[in-house]
Amino acid sequence: MIMPADLEDMIRRRYRSLFLLFFMLCSLSSQVISAVSARATLRASSSTNSSVVDSDLAALVAMKAALIDYKGILQSWNTSRGSACGGGWVGVKCEAGRIIAIHLPSKGLGGQLAAEIGQLSYLRQLSVHTNAITGAIPVSISSLRNLRGLYLFHNLLTGSIPASLSPVLQALDLSNNHLSGAIPTSLSTSALLRRINLSYNNLSSTIPSTFSSLARLQALLLSHNQLVGAVPDFSQLANLQTLDLSQNLLKGSFPALQQSSAGASQTGAIVHSSATSSSKELFPSLFTLNLSHNALTGKLPSQIGELSSLLQLDLSNNKFSGAIPPQLANITELSSLDISHNNFTGSLPSSLSSLGNLTHFNCSFNSLTGKVPKLRHTFLASAFVGNKGLCGFSPASLCALPPAPSPETGAANSSGEAAAASTGEKKKKLSALSIVFVVIGIVIVLFLLMCLCSLLFICCCRRSGESMAKAGFTGEKPGQAGGGKGEGAKREGDAPGGKLVHFEGSLGFLADDLLCATAEVVGKSTYGTVYKATLEDGNQVAVKRLREGIVKSQRDFEVEVTAVGAIRHPNLLALRSYYWGPKDEKLLIFDFMQGGSLAAFVHARGPETPLTWQMRMNIAIGAAKGLVYLHEEQKMIHGNLTSSNILIDAHQNAKLSDFGLSRLMTQAANSNVIATAGALGYRAPELTKLRKATTKSDVYSFGIVLLELLTGKAPGEGPSSGPTEGTTMDLPDWVASIVKQEWTQEVFDIELMKGRAPGDEELINTLQLAMNCVTLAPLERPEMSEVLQQLEQIKPDLKQ
């Protein structure tokens, strides 16, 4: 029998159990609801991310459909080959699932750029240059607000430039197309712009004056268009390095060199120094100023001498007039000055003789008068012709004798002569025999003086010849670099029978000066031995004595060496003179480069000598410019490009040497040069069979040099650590093996981190460019012009 108290207790326990069960059910329901909610949120988030990626994917698909893929490069743009961001799509780079770069240069693409490209809202770089893309630049590109680099040069684009572009744009290169219309003034809103290249188009507007607000602008290239109006005042652009406005229809006066004072004209007129006596240094970074082939008028301002960093100044083919300001001589680093085909008057300032670095000069076809001052280098007569009153620049342009005496002076002289004659009648005249004795005495004295001078000259040459004999400068036979006793003295009689020919920019020495110079060996190559020769006046030249038996006949040699001697470019080592001795000694004379070779600079410098990223890129770009000039302007193959043949001047600029020497040599000698280049690791693989250098083999050699600059290793050196330490390996193979193992950072020279360390993107892009240059198939290598453009894009803020 259940008592009431027990029943009450049982009921209480049962209610407590039901309450606990209800609480557990509520808690479980809450967890289920949270999990479902989280899963729904995750699904929604995944759906959102998928839609973003899909939008980028749709833009790529539309872009592929609009392009004509002649070479099948875009076959990888296929969803069956993986995600667009999986690394399998050629030229596509992603970050956090979004497309940030499209890089398809020199891929043989045609067709057009799709308007859907504007959907790639995270795109930072669009590089489809050096293709055959036609049509207009899509207006939708204006919506790419994260775009930093736009490279569409060397295509067939038409139409106008989009009215607005990304506010964070840093580099814009639309050169070598068929664009027309105006240059958008809205470009000045892209305040981060460093490089603008719109050259080689059909643009026909004025140059926007608003460009003066682009404080970071370093290069403004607008040449070969139809631009009109005056040159704006760019004096506020303190970082400007290159200004090229050549081959346009510009008018007005020389551009303003400093900020105009209050109330002064802003139309490009000259502002005198009195207006801004306390202004800052003018264009402290400007290296190149080219205003040639326009219709500019007026006088050159004296303030032009304040452009202290200027290296190249070209004002040719304009309508400038007045006197040439002597302040030009204040630009001490100036290496190239062209003022030809203008209306300049007066004389050439004597102060120009102080420009020691001036190696290219042209003042032809003006109205200049007077005697040409003595310049540091000798220039051809073609640099001065077309000035009727100019004299003293060649043997055929002798300056006139002093003017004849006036009639009054002549009358006075006649009276004096008459008086002397009357007085002379009173004096005894010399007999004919006395006159004969006097003449004979004078002849004997002159003969003795000549003998004495000859003895002194021979003694001088003997003293100098002792040091020369040790170096084997002249008269050296194969295998006798030291020469025998008195070897240098034997050469002294060869000078009169030899032939010394000077080219433009020579120091104007004589054969005797050269043969009596002190000399020391600084290098040897398959072509011969190189000496540093110090002339009597202290000037130093580099002399390459060609080995016997490798040169063509004298007639063929003179034809070819004359063509090589006419080549002038800032990044080519100019041939100044050559000497063909009476016993077939053949000497080539060049400027002496104090910086030595790139090989020594990279591998043999002391720890106190830095080799920063900026220096390496400056050398690479300079060498590339020299090769482009040889390939495109001279139609010439270098054929022997190594780091030893890239020389460094006092300003750490690259100058290519040994170019054109293959033209002077026999076929057997050139084959030997190719074989030697192969042993050093610079020879393109196809030359093993062809034995004939091409522009593509030059590109391969340049790629090796570029790898040398990136890795700090010489070709054939091999790794200094790791499992292959101590072995000899082809430099491209070694780089490829490291990259394949995803140890890319191990490739780069550790000293690159000194100074202003480069970004990862700069290093990777340069490495990729170098590997493209050394690809085994010659047809797949880029042209040197493309290599140069890509180098300038990788480092657009580099000092030129």
Side-chain angles (χ1 to χ4, degrees):
M1 179 177 183
I2 300 175
M3 300 299 296
D6 294 336
L7 180 61
E8 183 178 354
D9 185 59
M10 184 178 63
I11 292 173
R12 187 181 296 113
R13 286 198 302 270
R14 199 170 282 181
Y15 272 111
R16 185 180 300 169
S17 300
L18 288 174
F19 179 77
L20 290 174
L21 179 63
F22 177 76
F23 179 78
M24 291 174 61
L25 288 174
C26 289
S27 177
L28 181 62
S29 299
S30 175
Q31 292 178 10
V32 170
I33 292 173
S34 298
V36 171
S37 177
R39 182 173 297 180
T41 302
L42 181 61
R43 185 182 295 112
S45 175
S46 300
S47 178
T48 302
N49 287 337
S50 176
S51 65
V52 172
V53 173
D54 288 345
S55 66
D56 284 6
L57 180 62
L60 288 182
V61 172
M63 185 176 177
K64 177 182 178 181
L67 292 171
I68 300 176
D69 187 11
Y70 293 107
K71 296 183 179 180
I73 300 297
L74 302 182
Q75 289 182 358
S76 62
W77 287 26
N78 193 320
T79 53
S80 64
R81 298 192 178 187
S83 170
C85 294
W89 289 37
V90 172
V92 177
K93 184 177 181 180
C94 299
E95 185 177 283
R98 304 307 303 265
I99 295 171
I100 63 171
I102 298 176
H103 190 66
L104 297 170
S106 306
K107 302 300 183 184
L109 299 174
Q112 300 182 357
L113 293 175
E116 287 80 357
I117 199 171
Q119 299 175 12
L120 301 173
S121 56
Y122 282 78
L123 194 66
R124 300 177 191 171
Q125 184 180 87
L126 176 60
S127 178
V128 291
H129 63 82
T130 320
N131 285 291
I133 300 174
T134 60
I137 301 175
V139 178
S140 59
I141 282 184
S142 300
S143 63
L144 301 178
R145 312 311 288 173
N146 291 304
L147 194 64
R148 301 175 187 175
L150 180 59
Y151 308 105
L152 306 180
F153 58 89
H154 277 291
N155 277 291
L156 303 173
L157 297 172
T158 55
S160 58
I161 301 173
S164 64
L165 291 172
S166 166
V168 295
L169 193 66
Q170 298 179 16
L172 173 65
D173 196 335
L174 307 178
S175 61
N176 289 274
N177 280 288
H178 303 299
L179 300 174
S180 57
I183 300 176
T185 57
S186 58
L187 283 179
S188 58
T189 61
S190 301
L192 302 181
L193 267 171
R194 295 185 177 183
R195 180 180 178 86
I196 299 176
N197 190 351
L198 306 177
S199 57
Y200 291 92
N201 279 291
N202 299 316
L203 303 174
S204 56
S205 67
T206 59
I207 301 174
S209 59
T210 52
F211 279 1
S212 61
S213 64
L214 297 173
R216 301 190 181 187
L217 192 64
Q218 296 174 347
L220 179 59
L221 309 173
L222 305 177
S223 66
H224 292 82
N225 280 287
Q226 300 176 33
L227 302 176
V228 297
V231 180
D233 180 2
F234 291 140
S235 59
Q236 297 301 308
L237 301 180
N239 293 311
L240 192 64
Q241 298 174 4
T242 302
L243 178 60
D244 189 350
L245 308 180
S246 60
Q247 299 281 351
N248 280 290
L249 304 174
L250 300 173
K251 296 183 178 181
S253 55
F254 192 85
L257 290 179
Q258 21 187 345
Q259 183 181 9
S260 301
S261 59
S265 172
Q266 295 290 335
T267 60
I270 301 304
V271 181
H272 297 287
S273 59
S274 60
T276 55
S277 58
S278 60
S279 61
K280 297 181 180 179
E281 183 182 0
L282 301 177
F283 293 106
S285 302
L286 189 63
F287 297 103
T288 301
L289 176 59
N290 191 344
L291 303 177
S292 64
H293 292 85
N294 281 289
L296 300 176
T297 57
K299 299 181 179 180
L300 295 187
S302 60
Q303 292 91 341
I304 195 171
E306 299 179 33
L307 303 178
S308 58
S309 298
L310 204 60
L311 298 178
Q312 299 177 354
L313 176 61
D314 192 345
L315 306 177
S316 61
N317 290 274
N318 278 287
K319 299 178 181 179
F320 290 119
S321 59
I324 300 172
Q327 289 82 0
L328 274 174
N330 295 337
I331 313 176
T332 56
E333 302 298 325
L334 195 64
S335 62
S336 177
L337 174 61
D338 194 339
I339 55 175
S340 61
H341 293 274
N342 279 287
N343 300 319
F344 288 114
T345 57
S347 60
L348 284 174
S350 59
S351 58
L352 295 181
S353 60
S354 64
L355 295 177
N357 295 317
L358 192 64
T359 56
H360 175 80
F361 177 68
N362 194 345
C363 66
S364 60
F365 296 98
N366 281 283
S367 299
L368 299 172
T369 58
K371 185 177 181 180
V372 174
K374 186 176 181 181
L375 303 175
R376 291 287 185 92
H377 293 87
T378 302
F379 299 99
L380 297 179
S382 58
F384 304 95
V385 297
N387 294 280
K388 294 182 179 180
L390 209 58
C391 64
F393 55 85
S394 72
S397 63
L398 296 176
C399 295
L401 295 174
S406 63
E408 294 79 4
T409 305
N413 290 341
S414 299
S415 301
E417 290 173 2
S422 60
T423 305
E425 292 177 356
K426 301 177 182 178
K427 296 182 179 179
K428 186 177 180 180
K429 297 182 180 179
L430 291 174
S431 65
L433 186 59
S434 300
I435 294 174
V436 171
F437 283 131
V438 171
V439 172
I440 292 175
I442 293 174
V443 171
I444 293 174
V445 171
L446 292 176
F447 178 76
L448 293 175
L449 288 175
M450 290 176 61
C451 291
L452 180 61
C453 291
S454 298
L455 289 173
L456 291 174
F457 178 75
I458 291 172
C459 291
C460 176
C461 285
R462 289 194 179 194
R463 292 193 188 99
S464 300
E466 291 176 0
S467 60
M468 288 165 46
K470 294 178 181 179
F473 184 64
T474 57
E476 174 187 328
K477 296 182 180 180
Q480 293 180 347
K485 183 177 180 181
E487 187 72 17
K490 292 180 182 179
R491 297 302 103 197
E492 66 185 21
D494 294 341
K499 183 177 182 180
L500 177 66
V501 177
H502 291 300
F503 300 116
E504 181 181 0
S506 169
L507 294 174
F509 50 83
L510 301 176
D512 291 333
D513 298 330
L514 179 64
L515 299 181
C516 289
T518 57
E520 59 177 293
V521 177
V522 293
K524 291 188 176 183
S525 68
T526 50
Y527 286 132
T529 306
V530 181
Y531 305 86
K532 180 177 74 171
T534 304
L535 303 175
E536 187 176 357
D537 59 3
N539 286 314
Q540 292 181 334
V541 293
V543 180
K544 182 183 288 289
R545 184 183 186 277
L546 302 178
R547 291 193 300 110
E548 294 183 9
I550 68 170
V551 180
K552 295 179 179 178
S553 65
Q554 184 171 358
R555 182 178 179 181
D556 293 339
F557 175 86
E558 290 179 347
V559 172
E560 298 292 352
V561 79
T562 300
V564 175
I567 297 175
R568 292 293 181 270
H569 187 272
N571 297 110
L572 297 177
L573 184 66
L575 176 61
R576 299 302 184 189
S577 316
Y578 77 88
Y579 174 75
W580 187 291
K583 293 188 178 180
D584 288 343
E585 296 102 341
K586 293 160 284 290
L587 307 179
L588 303 179
I589 297 92
F590 306 87
D591 291 329
F592 181 72
M593 295 291 104
Q594 297 289 344
S597 69
L598 177 60
F601 199 53
V602 174
H603 307 297
R605 71 187 188 282
E608 72 283 353
T609 304
L611 184 54
T612 63
W613 170 246
Q614 291 86 343
M615 293 165 63
R616 298 180 200 225
M617 288 296 285
N618 187 54
I619 291 170
I621 289 177
K625 287 181 177 179
L627 273 181
V628 170
Y629 181 80
L630 287 178
H631 290 179
E632 298 189 354
E633 300 296 330
Q634 297 294 327
K635 309 302 180 184
M636 179 183 293
I637 311 301
H638 190 290
N640 189 31
L641 183 67
T642 66
S643 59
S644 297
N645 289 333
I646 300 176
L647 304 182
I648 312 298
D649 66 10
H651 306 287
Q652 295 177 343
N653 297 314
K655 289 183 179 288
L656 303 186
S657 66
D658 273 14
F659 63 89
L661 295 194
S662 59
R663 295 187 173 191
L664 314 179
M665 308 302 166
T666 62
Q667 184 63 39
N670 285 324
S671 298
N672 189 26
V673 169
I674 292 175
T676 302
L680 295 175
Y682 294 93
R683 180 184 62 188
E686 67 271 13
L687 294 183
T688 304
K689 296 181 178 180
L690 297 179
R691 295 283 180 177
K692 184 177 180 181
T694 64
T695 57
K696 295 295 188 178
S697 62
D698 276 354
V699 171
Y700 182 93
S701 300
F702 181 82
I704 297 294
V705 172
L706 205 53
L707 288 177
E708 203 169 346
L709 286 169
L710 288 171
T711 64
K713 296 182 179 296
E717 175 183 334
S720 58
S721 61
T724 57
E725 179 182 357
T727 62
T728 299
M729 182 180 292
D730 182 68
L731 186 55
D733 288 346
W734 177 75
V735 172
S737 66
I738 297 297
V739 174
K740 185 177 181 180
Q741 299 176 40
E742 298 184 356
W743 298 345
T744 305
Q745 292 298 328
E746 300 296 324
V747 166
F748 301 112
D749 187 359
I750 191 172
E751 290 197 21
L752 282 173
M753 298 302 108
K754 296 180 179 180
R756 206 287 295 172
D760 290 343
E761 187 175 357
E762 294 177 14
L763 289 173
I764 297 300
N765 288 342
T766 309
L767 182 63
Q768 182 61 54
L769 175 59
M771 295 304 288
N772 289 342
C773 291
V774 297
T775 187
L776 295 180
L779 293 178
E780 295 181 7
R781 299 172 198 154
E783 297 292 343
M784 272 311 305
S785 58
E786 300 169 20
V787 175
L788 173 59
Q789 290 165 349
Q790 292 184 48
L791 281 173
E792 291 178 332
Q793 291 170 19
I794 292 171
K795 200 71 180 64
D797 60 341
L798 193 68
K799 289 186 177 181
Q800 301 294 325

